[in-house]
Amino acid sequence: MRLVNLALSAVLASALPALAETPLNAEEFDAATVGDTITYSYPDGLSGTEEYLEGRRVRWAFEGDLCIYGVWYQKDDEICFEYEDGGAPDCWLYFLENGKIRGRYMGDGGGWEILESSREGGPLPCAGPDVGV
């Protein structure tokens, strides 16, 4: 029995960092992103880039797609984005790990994660009529 308790304690101790993750709040997320253009890698190999503007505004595009504008806000522990295309808000939990953003999608089919793959200081290069300067 003692061996089982020790093994269980070891498993629980190794799980504590994952359970203790604290998502970024709005102020922390803003400080970690505003003024930057961040490209995120998705689990399926897709990538998308978001430019974080002042006033919690954003400009987003999947690679090669047209840019769309949006805003973000905090709802409970989640950071939610609403874009000009009128779709439902996309809500995420964001974490800062070694200076990079990791996001966990919380909407339908959620639980998958994106990882920051690069960070630029300039504007998002947009395809089509809304070309970045």
Side-chain angles (χ1 to χ4, degrees):
M1 184 66 168
R2 180 178 218 159
L3 185 58
V4 170
N5 286 340
L6 287 174
L8 183 56
S9 294
V11 168
L12 289 175
S14 67
L16 283 179
L19 295 174
E21 284 185 316
T22 302
L24 298 174
N25 64 33
E27 291 75 25
E28 294 165 332
F29 182 74
D30 197 40
T33 58
V34 71
D36 286 334
T37 300
I38 301 174
T39 298
Y40 295 99
S41 297
Y42 286 74
D44 60 2
L46 192 64
S47 68
T49 304
E50 190 131 54
E51 180 181 1
Y52 295 90
L53 307 165
E54 294 290 332
R56 298 184 180 179
R57 295 175 305 115
V58 292
R59 188 162 52 164
W60 165 262
F62 280 108
E63 188 174 344
D65 278 354
L66 296 176
C67 291
I68 59 172
Y69 286 89
V71 296
W72 67 266
Y73 56 90
Q74 184 171 348
K75 178 182 172 192
D76 301 321
D77 286 341
E78 299 173 0
I79 302 294
C80 299
F81 296 82
E82 289 188 25
Y83 295 97
E84 64 188 0
D85 64 0
D90 293 318
C91 295
W92 300 78
L93 293 177
Y94 283 101
F95 306 91
L96 191 59
E97 297 175 350
N98 300 317
K100 294 193 175 206
I101 299 284
R102 176 174 56 89
R104 182 177 306 135
Y105 184 64
M106 302 307 291
D108 289 340
W112 49 270
E113 296 190 351
I114 58 173
L115 299 171
E116 176 182 333
S117 57
S118 69
R119 183 180 292 243
E120 302 293 327
L124 174 63
C126 293
D130 192 21
V131 178
V133 284

